Amino acid sequence: MLIFFFWCLQGSFFSVLLNFVSNWIVSKTPLKYGMALFVVLLIITMASYLIILLIGTSIVEQIQEMTQTLPRSLQNLKDQISKTSIGQALFNELPNDLGALLESRDKVMSRIVGSFSTTLGAIANFFIIIVTGIFLAATPSIYTKGFIRLFPLNFRARLREVMYKTQNSLSLWMTAKLISMLVVGIFTAIGLVILGMPMPYALALIAALFSFIPNIGPYLALAPAILIALMQGGNMFIYVLILYFGIQIVESYLITPLIEKKMVQLPPALTLFWMVLLGLLTGILGLIMATPILAARVVIIKELYVKDYLEAKKEGDAKLAKSSSVK
């Protein structure tokens, strides 16, 4: 039930993005909303088809290869650590139950990576997101008006304004994040191909997807790349580190500031806390959806609580004090 809820929530976010882009096309062209939405869906379909046609087969093959390579990479890492005096002492001090866990690392990694490949193989499940997003974006006014009618008449105009601001902020955030993911994926693929790393497209896909998760996403994407680079020998892992951190610096200090000027600003500490909280409560889906949910909540709290309650109350108290002093 919880997974279905998060799929529907992702469908809602997808509809917000479709609605935002369609309205932008309407504002720049003579097209009506329905035709603009059709154009957006057509562009997404064509782009997806071209990506699958050009590198889809390579990505699937590389992901399958990765499920076999990563366990061997972990074994290689353990062997390298065991050669050092500190590593030998460390493994000698490990408790038996932890040692047994390390011995079963192949099974653990197979489950972790296998779940990723299973998710890709079960892509039909994401049709829930796509269909929900398309239906919501096709007639957004029906759902908006229906929701607003659940509230008192004197509050509906303000609620409509807050909903518009929330949708606009969330749309800008998602647009900026998608652009950032695309840039990270392209730069990572190009860099890995130049370095001669195996499975460059699969690693680039992982880097692009994990960049959706702020703060910890890039480091999660770095882990499989480093493990595979260690198997290549030489200084490959150093080059991969430089590549990933270089891309992260460019993305954080150049690309993100350029495309997120009008975005809702999320404090990093609050974002990390919210991600950990939802991750613990709901698992990986909560971790993925934490940031867009927080972006929407920040706007709603700022408008309805800070402005309409705290600041309005402060202004009311100031006016009351002023009138009392005049008397």
Side-chain angles (χ1 to χ4, degrees):
M1 185 66 181
L2 186 62
I3 295 177
F4 180 77
F5 169 76
F6 273 107
W7 280 344
C8 292
L9 189 61
Q10 290 175 7
S12 301
F13 289 151
F14 181 53
S15 71
V16 167
L17 184 61
L18 291 177
N19 180 259
F20 175 77
V21 178
S22 300
N23 283 326
W24 181 82
I25 293 177
V26 169
S27 66
K28 301 296 182 180
T29 65
L31 294 177
K32 294 184 178 180
Y33 178 81
M35 183 57 66
L37 178 61
F38 175 77
V39 171
V40 173
L41 293 174
L42 183 63
I43 293 174
I44 293 175
T45 303
M46 293 178 62
S48 303
Y49 176 76
L50 287 176
I51 292 174
I52 294 174
L53 185 65
L54 294 175
I55 60 174
T57 305
S58 299
I59 291 178
V60 172
E61 292 176 351
Q62 291 176 15
I63 290 176
Q64 292 175 348
E65 182 182 353
M66 190 177 297
T67 60
Q68 301 174 359
T69 303
L70 285 181
R72 294 201 305 268
S73 301
L74 281 175
Q75 176 63 47
N76 180 65
L77 179 61
K78 179 189 173 184
D79 294 341
Q80 293 295 327
I81 295 175
S82 300
K83 293 178 180 179
T84 64
S85 57
I86 297 177
Q88 291 176 357
L90 176 63
F91 282 109
N92 289 334
E93 293 296 327
L94 287 176
N96 294 330
D97 55 344
L98 184 57
L101 176 62
L102 288 175
E103 289 301 323
S104 61
R105 64 195 173 280
D106 290 355
K107 295 181 180 179
V108 174
M109 279 307 303
S110 297
R111 290 178 181 176
I112 295 174
V113 183
S115 63
F116 181 74
S117 60
T118 302
T119 302
L120 292 178
I123 197 171
N125 293 330
F126 287 93
F127 276 110
I128 297 175
I129 301 173
I130 297 172
V131 172
T132 302
I134 292 174
F135 274 106
L136 290 175
T139 53
S141 59
I142 295 178
Y143 307 100
T144 302
K145 291 178 181 178
F147 179 76
I148 291 175
R149 292 185 66 181
L150 298 175
F151 295 85
L153 287 172
N154 59 346
F155 183 63
R156 291 179 183 178
R158 176 57 176 157
L159 180 60
R160 185 180 291 107
E161 179 185 356
V162 173
M163 288 180 66
Y164 171 77
K165 289 184 177 180
T166 304
Q167 178 186 6
N168 188 59
S169 298
L170 190 58
S171 301
L172 289 173
W173 183 89
M174 292 182 67
T175 303
K177 184 56 66 175
L178 288 176
I179 295 174
S180 176
M181 291 171 63
L182 181 63
V183 171
V184 168
I186 292 175
F187 282 6
T188 303
I190 294 174
L192 292 176
V193 169
I194 293 175
L195 291 177
M197 272 281 289
M199 297 167 281
Y201 299 130
L203 292 172
L205 177 63
I206 292 174
L209 293 177
F210 275 109
S211 66
F212 185 81
I213 306 175
N215 303 324
I216 64 174
Y219 301 103
L220 295 176
L222 177 62
I226 289 298
L227 288 174
I228 295 174
L230 287 171
M231 292 192 65
Q232 307 306 306
N235 296 324
M236 180 62 75
F237 79 98
I238 298 178
Y239 300 145
V240 171
L241 274 174
I242 294 174
L243 173 66
Y244 272 68
F245 279 109
I247 293 174
Q248 183 61 29
I249 291 172
V250 172
E251 190 270 338
S252 299
Y253 295 99
L254 180 61
I255 299 173
T256 299
L258 289 176
I259 62 180
E260 295 184 358
K261 288 181 179 179
K262 297 182 179 180
M263 257 179 47
V264 57
Q265 298 298 319
L266 301 177
L270 177 62
T271 304
L272 184 60
F273 170 78
W274 184 251
M275 289 168 55
V276 172
L277 178 62
L278 279 191
L280 292 175
L281 293 177
T282 60
I284 185 64
L285 284 176
L287 184 65
I288 294 172
M289 299 302 299
T291 311
I293 293 175
L294 179 61
R297 288 173 64 92
V298 165
V299 177
I300 294 172
I301 293 173
K302 179 181 178 182
E303 295 294 327
L304 295 182
Y305 180 69
V306 176
K307 288 186 178 181
D308 291 0
Y309 179 72
L310 294 181
E311 294 181 357
K313 183 179 179 181
K314 184 178 180 181
E315 291 178 1
D317 293 341
K319 290 180 180 179
L320 182 62
K322 185 177 181 180
S323 62
S324 300
S325 63
V326 171
K327 292 180 181 179

